[in-house]
Amino acid sequence: MSLKEISSTVPSSERHSVGVEYAKRCAHTQDCNQGANGSSIVAVHGLGEEQTEAWTHPESGIFWLRDLLPTARLRARVLTFGYQADTSSFFGSASSERILQRAITLVAELQTDRDLSNAAERPIIFVCHGLGGILVKRALAYSASQTSKKVEHLYSIFVSSYGILFLGTPHNGIENISWQLMVHATSGTANAPTELRTAMTKNSETLQNITDQFAPLAKRFHIYFFWEGLQTRVDSSTGFVVSEDSAAPIWDNTERSGIHATYSQMCKFENIESPGYKIVLSAMQRYARGAPNIIEKRWDEARKFLAKQRSNEAAELLLGSGTQRDNHTFSNKNEDQTRPKNKHFRIPHGVSAIFTGRNDITQDLQEKILASTADDAPRQQKRFVCYGLGGSGKTQFCLKFIQDNRDRFWGIFWVDASSVENAERALSEIGQLGGMGETCLAGMYWLTGLEMPWLLVIDNADDPNVDYARFFPAGDRGHILVTSRNPDCRIHATIGYYEFKEMDSEDAITLLLKAAEIKEVTDRENRDRARPMAKALGHLPLALIQAGASIRHNICSLEDYLEIYSSRMSQIISNQPVQGADHYQYTIYTTWEVSFKMIEDQASEVAMDAIHILHIFAFLHFDQVSATIFEKAWNNMQSSNKSESSQSVAHRLFASFPFSGAFATMFKRPYASNISCDTSELPPLLLQKGARWDRYRVRNALAMLASYSLIFKDTAKESYSMHPMVHFWARDRLAPHDQQKWSGIAATTLALSIATGFMASDQYYRRSLIPHIDSCLHGEHTKPLQDHIAGPDQVTKAIKFAMVYSEGGRWDEARDLQEKVVSARTTRLGPEHLETIKAMADLGRIYWNLSRLDKALKLQRDAMTISSKTLGDEDPITLKAMDNLGSTYWICGRRIDAETLGKKSMHGMKKVLGPAHPDTLMAMHNYARTLHHCGKSKEAQMIQTEVLRGRAKMLGADHPDTLMTMADLAVSYHALEQLPEAEKLLVNVLEARKRILGQEHAYTLWAINDLSKIYCAQGYAEKAEEMLVNILEIVVRTLGKEHIGMTMTMHNLARAYGGQDRWADAEAVLVDLIEIQNRKLSPQHPDTLIATAELARVYEHLERPDEAKKLLLKFITIMKEVMGENHPRTLAAVGRLVTIYQAQGQEAEAEELRIEFSTLGAILPRGRSPKKKNRRSIFASLKMTPEVASKKDEAESQRGRILFRKTV
């Protein structure tokens, strides 16, 4: 780490050189006389950057801190602080400690330099890029605490700091979808340690703690937040590295601005005209001018404060208290040092800047929802319902209430209830935020258990056929606001409700004038002119805002608008009557028609683009429409045109994509974006010519719509939304044939935007399309796609939408679409066409995930047979079909068939695709899993080790597929009695899944089950029982009482009971378990047989040999048929049965079994065995050859874990 002086703009007469050179750093520093009116500018770079390169323009080599600042009228010396900032050294298992280490070094080096330069009290202005800002915040918090006598010199940095310029600093963290972009932008690689993602993720504990430490100090500093204005491109993905809301949080008395550059370029200025340079320079100049007097006064106050500290310490010593005082942070009395109370703040957008009125209900709601409950009063969940006309201001009212009362709630959450799917998705995100798992139930369960105050807004609860109580977390905790157009929703209120109608007349006039940007809103003449117009608009907020937008554009005056409005209303009523519409609907529709006509009359390119975008928006979901949809659609069209397939479909299908997993079949299609879509009707915006997408053209069109208040922008999320009523009008105003046309264009645009990128940002983008796909598919205008599909265009849309649904876990919707695809392909191309085979394979995978194994088997058998006949046994498509079919055989209990196919598929893929291809690794993983359950754990362990090495290298150590292989390897180690290795792997898997997926995710529950087996084998049955009992409620709640995950947990719990000699408890659990398995699986299924053998063991310990003998005979008979007579479990059961025969004097039967199985290498017991077996393994009575001895029966039950994973 080092501190270097780059330049000094303080006149030479005001400074003198002391020639200090830090050891091995060649950092020559010059001092600035502390009495001079100059400042120190300290630049701190970010992650993956270097001390000089971070501030140097890559093409021109201009180091602006050295080359540009000296030419400005800025009295300052400029220093840069450098530190090791690669991802591996900056983040690790204790990221907060590593940040603190560098923060301490920054304070120490800066204080040393200033002291040696005789400039200890010179004002400091920090310039920080990226994570350098986090470092500075931590350094200032550290310096502020150094007030004890021996370290008070370090306190000088805090006292002297005046201004901070944060350039792209992720104060609130980085979204999961953007971290790869950030790492690539700074270090040129997309790989980074998991600790980096954990420490930088949105609202991470590390960043939150640093913010909490800095927040009480922030008001002392002049702060300027800058965010990146251009997206970063990595391969085919683009996005903002640090979102605006994270780079520029809304803090009191701070400045904010964007810089029209990417994240990495926003701190590199080539000349004075470079984007952002003048704003940065102007801020520095203002700070440099204002700092000296303020810092001088702060030093006077600091000296008094430190002197008082020393006096207090002396007094304590004289009194003999022996108490050592801790460091205290100095502050002005007027500064608010309270810690921010609100931690989670998840709302779709901010309240309108011109929100007006509703003061009466605001006060009423505050009194009801914030009032303390009397000690003797029964506790209840506080629910308030806002109902009334659409456009009457219900949502804005809730946003205003949230804005005014944010610090009253620890967490504020928003649920869009316009559809059940959207509501469940929002609650799932809340569950993931709480670390409980990404499910709707997990979200509500987390809120139920919170002791901190929380507020949940359920917006747009309008459907009379939906009981919205299903989205209320259980219990008496929390506060809920419901907005609805349905008055029946009042039934949900517990503390009151309010009907939103028209506004108060005076408030309505004020809102209209504000919307029109008429400054003198209190001027009587202006209010009198606006009064007739407000009355004509029914005092409805949405209509008033819409009309104000038209006036704001100087297209008409207050007086003229009424004439235009009346004309448009007459035209609407006469030409396009709204079915069942009342005066309210005509009123509000007319305001939007006026705005639409004003845009249309401009007849410019931007105006036509705006109208076309409005038509497309009308058939997407009204909330969070990303502008990147258009850009991705255009880019994919260009790629399709350039690459119109000189390669074979098979080659393109199996091109090497570095990802794999449950969605491999669905998503390994690099040509997915090139499947033909009918583009003939696309608007000119999407057919524009040129080498690059003109993003300014779409932005200009969106800006026009926003300026007329037809849409509004969510800057933090870089998306656009419409009021639900505007959305309804935009669709309803179109004639039926135009609805059909534009709904098709909207669906085509969505389909074109879908490609197969494997980065997290690509997956996040595809999942963000689900609400828009829902909207496109569920309207009357899209019935052809709902009922049947015909023609390449509709087939393409169905394929792509099914892929997105599959990736989002919406298997039912994916099945419905994919079945239509298979039908269309079969009818049009025939059952043996390659495209039909691929469609069948995709549908088989969907059936597999829906546990429709009979249908999956039939499709996968047909697909493999046809592919083998058409393409040959060594074609990648045929080999993949083999692997899929083998996996289904395995889950159905047909282990021998699974082993045969798995072996053939694995060797074929190694030969054709190579050992490192993701499909090959998946085939190896599946084959190893089958080997393990066929009793060949040593072979499985060797293959799993190779797969783990390949997946960790390709995907990273924490990728779900890597963790899956790691868990399976641990299971094999368990079977081979290598328990320490197994425990180490499973503990790592469990911690990773808790951190990444949440405590209630199915994968996390599997890891707990696996680990319980290890603990039982190590003799810690009580610990295993505790783990399993703790998750029973979660398994039932999230998966169901008869889900395969529950049966696995029951089996392991019985094992834990047995390990404690609680045989009666074990029996009760196993009897229930076998009853479920007989119904859900079959008596012949391996899982049922395993439980049967376990129950026989329990009967042996309960000294009920006849019952044990009966079960063992049944087990051996079926196992010989299903798994073979030489399977370790079969031999183990034979040994136990021989022991029982001997104990009962049935030597003839025992000898018959010995003779039958002696050829298999098993040495069965001779002589009488004791009747009582005290906590013996089921292998205890069977001596086996070394070849068989490693294959323990406990290993077989692990099949249930993988079965659990694959069926969820």
Side-chain angles (χ1 to χ4, degrees):
M1 302 184 194
S2 64
L3 186 73
K4 294 183 181 180
E5 179 176 1
I6 301 306
S7 62
S8 178
T9 57
V10 178
S12 58
S13 61
E14 296 184 11
R15 57 188 172 89
H16 89 129
S17 173
V18 295
V20 177
E21 183 175 294
Y22 297 116
K24 299 181 181 180
R25 293 178 192 150
C26 301
H28 183 71
T29 63
Q30 297 174 320
D31 86 308
C32 300
N33 187 300
Q34 63 184 17
N37 292 326
S39 301
S40 294
I41 296 175
V42 182
V44 184
H45 64 82
L47 181 69
E49 298 174 335
E50 187 270 339
Q51 192 168 2
T52 301
E53 184 184 79
W55 314 99
T56 302
H57 193 275
E59 297 176 1
S60 64
I62 295 294
F63 182 18
W64 68 276
L65 295 171
R66 177 195 64 197
D67 301 330
L68 299 183
L69 278 189
T71 65
R73 297 179 179 179
L74 186 68
R75 295 171 59 84
R77 66 196 287 258
V78 184
L79 305 98
T80 60
F81 177 70
Y83 58 96
Q84 188 175 2
D86 58 277
T87 58
S88 60
S89 65
F90 199 81
F91 289 94
S93 59
S95 299
S96 58
E97 285 81 357
R98 298 191 182 194
I99 294 174
L100 177 59
Q101 291 169 4
R102 286 155 176 78
I104 291 173
T105 304
L106 169 59
V107 171
E109 292 214 10
L110 187 55
Q111 188 279 328
T112 300
D113 173 74
R114 289 160 62 80
D115 189 49
L116 293 174
S117 301
N118 193 29
E121 296 181 12
R122 181 178 293 278
I124 301 172
I125 301 169
F126 285 102
V127 183
C128 325
H129 181 236
L131 288 167
I134 304 298
L135 196 62
V136 168
K137 288 163 64 176
R138 187 65 186 89
L140 289 171
Y142 167 74
S143 173
S145 68
Q146 302 304 296
T147 58
S148 296
K149 183 176 181 179
K150 294 181 180 180
V151 294
E152 65 179 25
H153 57 286
L154 300 175
Y155 184 61
S156 65
I157 303 303
F158 168 69
V159 178
S160 299
S161 295
Y162 180 82
I164 313 174
L165 286 76
F166 292 108
L167 282 73
T169 294
H171 300 279
N172 296 329
I174 294 179
E175 298 282 0
N176 288 330
I177 63 171
S178 299
W179 72 267
Q180 295 104 323
L181 294 172
M182 186 276 296
V183 176
H184 191 283
T186 54
S187 63
T189 175
N191 296 318
T194 301
E195 294 84 0
L196 169 64
R197 282 177 283 174
T198 303
M200 289 178 58
T201 192
K202 200 81 168 178
N203 299 316
S204 75
E205 184 176 357
T206 298
L207 295 181
Q208 186 65 48
N209 288 339
I210 292 173
T211 296
D212 288 349
Q213 293 166 357
F214 180 73
L217 316 175
K219 291 187 178 180
R220 289 179 59 88
F221 311 122
H222 286 69
I223 295 176
Y224 211 136
F225 296 120
F226 295 91
W227 68 86
E228 63 208 80
L230 293 181
Q231 295 184 342
T232 296
R233 176 179 289 275
V234 176
D235 298 328
S236 62
S237 300
T238 59
F240 292 105
V241 174
V242 182
S243 63
E244 180 185 339
D245 67 325
S246 184
I250 306 298
W251 291 1
D252 291 339
N253 301 313
T254 58
E255 299 178 271
R256 307 167 79 249
S257 176
I259 292 179
H260 192 69
T262 62
Y263 171 80
S264 63
Q265 296 300 309
M266 67 186 302
C267 57
K268 300 174 174 67
F269 304 123
E270 185 176 18
N271 52 55
I272 61 174
E273 299 300 327
S274 295
Y277 175 73
K278 290 183 178 179
I279 299 178
V280 170
L281 176 61
S282 174
M284 287 182 176
Q285 290 175 334
R286 282 189 287 107
Y287 295 170
R289 287 194 302 268
N293 292 336
I294 299 298
I295 296 302
E296 183 178 354
K297 292 178 181 178
R298 288 183 181 172
W299 267 108
D300 290 340
E301 294 172 345
R303 291 188 190 94
K304 295 176 183 177
F305 168 73
L306 293 172
K308 186 175 182 180
Q309 287 281 92
R310 304 293 84 79
S311 176
N312 290 339
E313 291 169 0
E316 288 178 356
L317 288 173
L318 291 173
L319 292 172
S321 65
T323 303
Q324 181 178 354
R325 293 179 61 86
D326 294 331
N327 286 326
H328 294 286
T329 301
F330 168 76
S331 66
N332 291 330
K333 293 181 179 180
N334 293 331
E335 292 184 1
D336 178 12
Q337 300 218 6
T338 60
R339 174 174 170 165
K341 296 179 181 178
N342 180 260
K343 181 175 182 179
H344 297 292
F345 190 69
R346 298 174 68 86
I347 62 172
H349 47 78
V351 66
S352 170
I354 60 173
F355 181 88
T356 303
R358 307 293 187 188
N359 296 325
D360 53 343
I361 183 57
T362 298
Q363 183 176 353
D364 181 55
L365 178 58
Q366 285 178 330
E367 292 174 354
K368 290 179 176 178
I369 206 167
L370 300 177
S372 299
T373 304
D375 293 338
D376 58 346
R379 290 189 57 177
Q380 65 174 351
Q381 192 173 72
K382 295 182 177 181
R383 297 195 291 267
F384 190 91
V385 175
C386 305
Y387 72 96
L389 299 171
S392 58
K394 301 182 295 294
T395 299
Q396 284 292 314
F397 170 79
C398 291
L399 290 168
K400 184 66 167 64
F401 177 82
I402 287 170
Q403 176 182 282
D404 293 344
N405 298 279
R406 175 172 179 172
D407 285 343
R408 303 290 190 97
F409 301 98
W410 177 82
I412 298 175
F413 311 96
W414 195 280
V415 170
D416 167 28
S418 59
S419 72
V420 171
E421 293 80 8
N422 288 337
E424 290 177 343
R425 186 180 305 108
L427 287 164
S428 297
E429 292 173 358
I430 293 173
Q432 187 177 37
L433 182 71
M436 304 297 285
E438 195 176 358
T439 68
C440 175
L441 288 175
M444 290 193 289
Y445 185 75
W446 181 60
L447 291 176
T448 296
L450 287 177
E451 295 184 359
M452 303 295 287
W454 51 265
L455 173 66
L456 178 68
V457 180
I458 299 180
D459 193 29
N460 299 314
D462 303 325
D463 191 340
N465 297 315
V466 175
D467 181 7
Y468 292 98
R470 64 191 292 185
F471 302 127
F472 299 161
D476 55 11
R477 296 174 180 171
H479 311 76
I480 299 177
L481 293 179
V482 179
T483 74
S484 178
R485 283 181 279 166
N486 179 12
D488 291 341
C489 272
R490 290 175 296 179
I491 194 174
H492 300 305
T494 61
I495 59 171
Y497 51 81
Y498 182 80
E499 182 179 6
F500 280 70
K501 300 179 181 178
E502 68 277 2
M503 295 179 69
D504 172 82
S505 60
E506 294 303 316
D507 287 341
I509 292 170
T510 301
L511 178 60
L512 175 59
L513 294 174
K514 285 181 178 180
E517 293 187 355
I518 297 175
K519 295 182 179 179
E520 301 297 331
V521 296
T522 60
D523 180 76
R524 180 176 296 278
E525 182 179 349
N526 287 340
R527 298 186 71 83
D528 288 343
R529 290 167 55 213
R531 194 176 305 279
M533 183 174 170
K535 183 178 180 181
L537 297 175
H539 299 149
L540 292 168
L542 197 58
L544 294 165
I545 292 171
Q546 196 67 49
S550 299
I551 298 167
R552 186 170 66 240
H553 284 276
N554 296 318
I555 296 176
C556 62
S557 65
L558 282 168
E559 294 80 6
D560 294 338
Y561 186 87
L562 274 179
E563 182 179 348
I564 299 172
Y565 171 82
S566 298
S567 173
R568 293 302 296 173
M569 175 173 277
S570 299
Q571 187 174 352
I572 291 173
I573 294 174
S574 61
N575 295 339
Q576 291 183 327
V578 181
Q579 296 297 323
D582 54 16
H583 179 74
Y584 153 75
Q585 198 158 4
Y586 280 125
T587 297
I588 205 162
Y589 269 34
T590 303
T591 60
W592 298 322
E593 284 294 335
V594 169
S595 297
F596 183 88
K597 188 68 167 68
M598 289 176 176
I599 295 174
E600 191 176 48
D601 287 346
Q602 295 183 41
S604 62
E605 180 183 72
V606 66
M608 293 310 299
D609 287 344
I611 289 173
H612 293 156
I613 289 175
L614 183 69
H615 291 337
I616 292 175
F617 271 34
F619 297 95
L620 305 179
H621 185 57
F622 60 78
D623 195 29
Q624 296 186 24
V625 183
S626 173
T628 58
I629 290 175
F630 302 103
E631 182 174 1
K632 288 179 180 291
W634 186 85
N635 284 332
N636 288 337
M637 279 194 292
Q638 306 312 302
S639 300
S640 175
N641 293 336
K642 290 177 182 177
S643 65
E644 279 296 326
S645 184
S646 58
Q647 297 178 314
S648 70
V649 175
H651 179 79
R652 286 185 282 117
L653 177 61
F654 287 91
S656 180
F657 273 78
F659 68 102
S660 59
F663 308 114
T665 304
M666 300 297 294
F667 284 95
K668 286 203 187 77
R669 287 188 179 162
Y671 68 95
S673 59
N674 301 333
I675 300 175
S676 63
C677 276
D678 182 9
T679 61
S680 61
E681 290 192 323
L682 291 179
L685 174 69
L686 287 169
L687 297 175
Q688 57 182 273
K689 304 298 182 182
R692 295 174 65 101
W693 168 254
D694 186 355
R695 64 180 57 180
Y696 292 103
R697 179 172 173 178
V698 71
R699 286 183 181 178
N700 289 337
L702 290 166
M704 176 174 284
L705 291 174
S707 69
Y708 281 92
S709 297
L710 292 172
I711 64 173
F712 52 91
K713 182 180 181 181
D714 182 352
T715 305
K717 298 180 180 178
E718 282 299 313
S719 63
Y720 296 83
S721 300
M722 303 173 77
H723 189 282
M725 289 296 294
V726 180
H727 186 255
F728 185 82
W729 158 80
R731 183 172 62 252
D732 200 46
R733 70 179 303 278
L734 296 172
H737 69 277
D738 285 327
Q739 288 187 358
Q740 188 74 38
K741 170 186 173 181
W742 285 102
S743 68
I745 291 174
T748 298
T749 304
L750 284 177
L752 286 168
S753 76
I754 298 169
T756 56
F758 60 87
M759 292 180 64
S761 58
D762 299 313
Q763 296 171 2
Y764 180 86
Y765 169 76
R766 288 192 292 268
R767 294 185 70 173
S768 74
L769 296 181
I770 290 177
H772 306 302
I773 295 173
D774 286 343
S775 182
C776 277
L777 294 183
H778 294 164
E780 292 185 1
H781 38 271
T782 53
K783 273 193 172 180
L785 196 57
Q786 291 179 4
D787 298 338
H788 66 279
I789 57 176
D793 178 59
Q794 289 189 341
V795 170
T796 294
K797 293 174 186 175
I799 290 173
K800 291 199 170 189
F801 294 164
M803 293 193 322
V804 174
Y805 277 139
S806 296
E807 190 171 38
R810 298 271 294 273
W811 298 108
D812 288 324
E813 291 89 341
R815 175 202 59 208
D816 293 343
L817 288 172
Q818 196 65 28
E819 283 178 343
K820 296 180 177 69
V821 171
V822 171
S823 176
R825 289 284 198 227
T826 304
T827 301
R828 184 169 179 268
L829 303 175
E832 297 187 1
H833 193 278
L834 181 60
E835 295 298 324
T836 308
I837 298 172
K838 289 183 295 187
M840 292 167 62
D842 290 346
L843 182 56
R845 173 62 60 178
I846 293 170
Y847 283 144
W848 199 95
N849 282 279
L850 285 169
S851 296
R852 298 296 303 274
L853 300 180
D854 51 341
K855 290 193 172 186
L857 274 175
K858 182 180 185 308
L859 270 176
Q860 290 172 341
R861 274 197 296 257
D862 291 347
M864 190 188 77
T865 301
I866 296 171
S867 179
S868 177
K869 176 183 176 182
T870 307
L871 303 173
D873 285 347
E874 293 191 349
D875 187 273
I877 294 179
T878 306
L879 294 171
K880 185 65 182 176
M882 287 182 189
D883 184 40
N884 290 338
L885 181 57
S887 294
T888 307
Y889 278 150
W890 168 80
I891 202 173
C892 291
R894 296 173 57 176
R895 306 291 168 74
I896 296 175
D897 292 333
E899 181 182 2
T900 302
L901 274 180
K903 183 177 182 179
K904 187 173 182 180
S905 172
M906 181 190 73
H907 287 304
M909 287 191 182
K910 279 187 173 182
K911 177 180 177 181
V912 176
L913 301 176
H917 192 280
D919 279 352
T920 306
L921 293 175
M922 176 58 79
M924 292 171 66
H925 171 91
N926 292 338
Y927 179 56
R929 177 192 57 201
T930 302
L931 283 175
H932 169 77
H933 294 109
C934 287
K936 304 174 182 178
S937 296
K938 186 61 181 177
E939 295 177 56
Q941 180 257 326
M942 294 174 64
I943 296 174
Q944 287 160 346
T945 301
E946 184 180 352
V947 175
L948 181 60
R949 189 180 301 114
R951 283 184 163 176
K953 180 179 180 181
M954 180 180 296
L955 305 173
D958 282 350
H959 191 279
D961 285 359
T962 308
L963 294 174
M964 185 191 303
T965 301
M966 192 179 297
D968 282 3
L969 178 58
V971 168
S972 293
Y973 278 142
H974 174 221
L976 297 169
E977 297 186 345
Q978 299 178 28
L979 299 182
E981 292 86 348
E983 181 184 12
K984 182 179 179 181
L985 285 176
L986 279 175
V987 168
N988 181 70
V989 170
L990 178 58
E991 291 306 313
R993 287 178 175 172
K994 281 183 177 179
R995 184 180 67 251
I996 299 168
L997 303 175
Q999 299 178 38
E1000 297 192 359
H1001 194 281
Y1003 282 27
T1004 307
L1005 301 177
W1006 305 326
I1008 291 173
N1009 269 275
D1010 286 343
L1011 192 56
S1012 76
K1013 296 187 181 76
I1014 306 300
Y1015 288 149
C1016 281
Q1018 292 174 329
Y1020 303 124
E1022 294 87 351
K1023 187 174 183 179
E1025 179 197 356
E1026 181 182 1
M1027 293 175 64
L1028 295 167
V1029 169
N1030 286 340
I1031 67 170
L1032 275 176
E1033 183 274 333
I1034 300 172
V1035 174
V1036 173
R1037 173 164 47 82
T1038 59
L1039 300 174
K1041 292 182 179 180
E1042 296 190 353
H1043 191 277
I1044 191 67
M1046 184 60 185
T1047 60
M1048 174 182 61
T1049 305
M1050 292 171 67
H1051 193 139
N1052 290 326
L1053 185 58
R1055 183 193 305 273
Y1057 286 150
Q1060 302 172 67
D1061 288 332
R1062 293 165 55 185
W1063 301 109
D1065 292 336
E1067 178 193 8
V1069 173
L1070 287 169
V1071 168
D1072 289 344
L1073 170 62
I1074 293 171
E1075 190 275 328
I1076 294 172
Q1077 290 175 325
N1078 280 330
R1079 283 190 292 104
K1080 302 293 287 187
L1081 301 174
S1082 73
Q1084 291 76 34
H1085 195 283
D1087 280 3
T1088 312
L1089 295 174
I1090 293 169
T1092 300
E1094 186 71 10
L1095 182 57
R1097 184 171 76 98
V1098 170
Y1099 286 151
E1100 291 177 63
H1101 284 278
L1102 289 173
E1103 299 188 43
R1104 292 154 61 178
D1106 290 336
E1107 292 171 86
K1109 184 169 61 176
K1110 180 179 178 181
L1111 289 178
L1112 287 172
L1113 283 169
K1114 176 182 179 182
F1115 175 85
I1116 293 168
T1117 301
I1118 300 176
M1119 277 293 290
K1120 287 168 63 178
E1121 183 179 331
V1122 174
M1123 299 297 297
E1125 56 187 10
N1126 62 343
H1127 192 281
R1129 284 189 180 278
T1130 309
L1131 298 177
V1134 170
R1136 286 165 53 194
L1137 185 56
V1138 167
T1139 299
I1140 294 174
Y1141 281 150
Q1142 290 175 338
Q1144 293 184 329
Q1146 296 176 280
E1147 288 294 341
E1149 289 83 350
E1151 185 63 25
E1152 184 180 345
L1153 279 176
R1154 290 193 195 98
I1155 294 172
E1156 180 181 354
F1157 284 89
S1158 61
T1159 58
L1160 302 176
I1163 305 174
L1164 302 179
R1166 293 182 178 275
R1168 297 181 67 82
S1169 296
K1171 292 183 179 181
K1172 176 127 176 133
K1173 302 186 185 80
N1174 188 24
R1175 295 185 63 179
R1176 301 180 64 189
S1177 164
I1178 59 173
F1179 279 84
S1181 58
L1182 174 62
K1183 299 177 182 178
M1184 290 181 287
T1185 61
E1187 289 77 13
V1188 182
S1190 67
K1191 302 163 184 174
K1192 299 262 297 181
D1193 103 305
E1194 263 93 13
E1196 179 65 19
S1197 62
Q1198 300 296 326
R1199 197 215 66 80
R1201 181 194 62 76
I1202 305 176
L1203 180 62
F1204 181 13
R1205 170 170 59 244
K1206 285 293 188 178
T1207 53
V1208 174

